[in-house]
Amino acid sequence: MSNNKITRRFFIGSGLVGTFTLLNAERVWAKKEEPKIIVGMQKSETVKEDSYTLKIQGNPKSIQLLQVTDIHFNPYRKDKNVDETTRDIVKKLLDLTQPHLLAVTGDVWNENAFGRGLMYLEQAAEFFGSLNIPWFYTWGNHDMLSDYAKGHDILALAKNSMYRGGINEGNYHVIIENESNKKLWRMVCLNSNRYGLMNEQRQWIDQWCNKNTDVIPTFMACHIPIYQYHTIWENKIASGVKFEKVCYEKEQGESLPFLKKIPGLKACICGHDHVNDYSGVIEGIDLIYGRATGKGGYGADSVPKGGKLYSLYPSTGEYEWVSVTPNNKRWHPVKGTQIEKIEELPWQDELEKE
Ligand SMILES: [Fe+2]
């Protein structure tokens, strides 16, 4: 269990306090637009493609992918500087790493209290669009809206966006090609909604595999970890840091056999558990946690906010990752190390004190 001071439970609880404070002031609005859950989200056919092709100039030896996750923007929180600090973190990480593309793996905004979800999404899409880099997005469990069809459109039509999940309830893929149209790498983006990868996503993977048989080095991206993130830690396969239980929600391990059907799949990248940063290979698939990014999320007292930089080598299908903080501290765990105690952390000077 977590021994960090700000836990997931506290984080959810503090969100509820904020919600309650706003409730009296805006009761009428709240009645009009009730928050809805993501499961069974509407589709949109405004953008009919379910894939995006990203052309990279020249023929680079490696592709640099920066992942940010668990952004947790909430302009209505008491401390107004938190979101600005998170935006600064993202910008600094981009400056430091100069990636070819950006992955945003969910929990970008803060529920849909008083029907504000769409406004949060619009602001976030504008921010990511302003960064001058192609970006893709996967849905997080906190990313809630009253109108998901509109949400798909905002995401797909935003500047520099590669999101193409509108017609498949948030599932799509991105292909990275060089100038001569050679496919270098592929990202399969899944909507893990509130419960993890359930039957509907597994069925989508099956249908997708029937149509996409090319063997290309591939990563899968989603927000909620699959069950085997738990197994790799418990069986000492994983290396890294772990300060909370793996929150695989309702998924119970059934998804891995489906993921293994994806041709060329090397690794899964996810977010959700802010104070876990580790990876390990199970049945040929590398399960990798992103580094939580947003100051509005719990966990900076044990795992400093940052991002994860992946170097992808298309000619061999190999890849490397390193977690990066805005101070340019870079970290990859020594193979075989499992850290669960604050005093064993290598980044003592970067921990946020309460
Ligand atoms: Fe989450």
Side-chain angles (χ1 to χ4, degrees), residues 8 70 72 105-107 140-142 223-224 249 271-274:
R8 179 188 298 277
D70 298 81
H72 289 286
T105 52
D107 279 3
N141 53 302
H142 286 282
H223 180 69
I224 295 178
E249 308 304 338
H272 195 44
D273 301 326
H274 304 187

Side-chain angles (χ1 to χ4, degrees), residues 107-118:
D107 279 3
V108 169
W109 65 97
N110 188 40
E111 322 287 346
N112 185 39
F114 318 111
R116 282 178 166 153
L118 272 177

Side-chain angles (χ1 to χ4, degrees), residues 139-334:
W139 290 86
N141 53 302
H142 286 282
D143 298 336
M144 293 187 188
L145 300 174
S146 306
D147 184 343
Y148 287 99
K150 233 184 215 170
H152 290 305
D153 292 351
I154 292 168
L155 282 162
L157 301 174
K159 210 172 155 199
N160 302 319
S161 168
M162 299 186 280
Y163 181 81
R164 292 295 179 269
I167 58 169
N168 290 318
E169 299 182 337
N171 306 316
Y172 63 104
H173 71 271
V174 171
I175 291 180
I176 305 165
E177 285 185 358
N178 67 8
E179 273 179 352
S180 3
N181 304 334
K182 186 175 183 320
K183 293 179 172 64
L184 303 178
W185 211 277
R186 181 168 54 193
M187 309 298 309
V188 176
C189 306
L190 294 177
N191 173 10
S192 57
N193 65 67
R194 291 187 86 184
Y195 304 122
L197 300 179
M198 304 303 286
N199 244 331
E200 51 188 328
Q201 288 82 24
R202 297 196 278 264
Q203 281 169 16
W204 182 84
I205 290 171
D206 263 351
Q207 289 162 13
W208 183 90
C209 286
N210 289 337
K211 288 185 282 180
N212 295 276
T213 51
D214 292 8
V215 181
I216 309 165
T218 298
F219 272 17
M220 189 277 274
C222 68
H223 180 69
I224 295 178
I226 60 170
Y227 177 85
Q228 286 82 359
Y229 277 76
H230 164 75
T231 318
I232 56 170
W233 188 269
E234 293 307 308
N235 294 347
K236 304 204 183 305
I237 295 166
S239 309
V241 300
K242 180 173 182 286
F243 286 98
E244 67 180 312
K245 184 184 169 295
V246 177
C247 293
Y248 41 79
E249 308 304 338
K250 292 189 175 174
E251 201 271 336
Q252 292 290 321
E254 307 93 326
S255 295
L256 185 63
F258 287 81
L259 294 177
K260 284 169 66 184
K261 297 179 192 178
I262 297 175
L265 186 69
K266 305 277 176 191
C268 300
I269 63 173
C270 73
H272 195 44
D273 301 326
H274 304 187
V275 288
N276 293 344
D277 186 351
Y278 63 78
S279 72
V281 179
I282 185 164
E283 297 184 38
I285 312 292
D286 198 359
L287 305 182
I288 309 173
Y289 268 113
R291 171 63 67 95
T293 308
K295 280 282 187 188
Y298 67 89
D301 56 345
S302 51
V303 179
K305 298 300 178 187
K308 185 153 287 190
L309 180 68
Y310 302 87
S311 302
L312 314 173
Y313 301 95
S315 61
T316 60
E318 289 171 344
Y319 56 89
E320 301 163 331
W321 66 258
V322 66
S323 293
V324 186
T325 65
N327 298 329
N328 206 16
K329 294 262 172 68
R330 299 187 178 214
W331 172 82
H332 183 92
V334 175

